[in-house]
Structures are given as C-alpha cells and as structure tokens.
Amino acid sequence: MTGTSIILKTLLIDKNLSIEEVSKGTEIPKDEIQALIDGKSKLFVDQAIKIGEFFSIPAEFLFTDSALVNHNNIGQKSNSNSGFIGSYYNTEK
C-alpha cells in the first residue's frame, strides 16, 4: 500500500465521498482514481494538483514518504490533536 492510496482512502472516508464524486470534481476518470487507491498506479503531478485542489491540500503532500506514518493525522475522525487536513490553508501565492 502506498502513501497516496492511504491518503486517498482516508480523505474519501473522512469527507464521506465516493470515487464518482471525486472523479467528477477532479475530472480524473474513475478507473484512474480506483487504481491510485488500490496502489496499482503511480500518481502523476497533474493528478496530484487536481486532487490537492479538490481537497484543499497541498499536492506535494500526496507524494510524501512520511504519509504512511502520518496517515492517522488526516481527517476529523482521526485520534490526532493536530487537526484535520481540510483545515490547511496555504497563504502563500
């Protein structure tokens, strides 16, 4: 399982979204999103940007090796006190 697949699974659960909803919102085909979730496909930069914009997270986060360690910090349903990822706002433009 990849960091990307864990992050995507967690975001879907925490935001109560379906793959179809993410596909529509990101304009990434459903089968590509499913392949990312299943760890059968590598994430491309253009996909990361679209997913990042959709979930209001930095696209770079989807590529982090530490995602496997930090996945419990994502989402309001986590046991972490660090806040949920939806609260991240990048003020630098």
Side-chain angles (χ1 to χ4, degrees):
M1 188 170 291
T2 67
T4 300
S5 65
I6 290 172
I7 291 169
L8 287 174
K9 284 180 185 179
T10 304
L11 286 168
L12 286 171
I13 292 167
D14 285 347
K15 303 291 185 181
N16 196 29
L17 294 170
S18 67
I19 291 172
E20 291 79 12
E21 291 169 313
V22 176
S23 174
K24 184 177 179 182
T26 61
E27 298 181 354
I28 299 172
K30 291 184 289 189
D31 59 330
E32 288 182 27
I33 294 173
Q34 186 65 59
L36 290 169
I37 290 171
D38 294 341
K40 295 180 180 178
S41 178
K42 291 188 177 189
L43 181 68
F44 293 101
V45 173
D46 63 326
Q47 293 170 322
I49 291 169
K50 290 176 181 180
I51 292 168
E53 288 175 353
F54 181 78
F55 286 108
S56 300
I57 62 171
E60 296 85 2
F61 184 74
L62 296 164
F63 290 104
T64 59
D65 291 334
S66 62
L68 288 171
V69 175
N70 294 326
H71 74 277
N72 285 329
N73 291 333
I74 302 171
Q76 58 190 4
K77 295 180 184 173
S78 73
N79 294 328
S80 170
N81 292 325
S82 64
F84 67 98
I85 203 164
S87 65
Y88 177 88
Y89 295 100
N90 186 358
T91 58
E92 297 179 349
K93 293 278 178 175

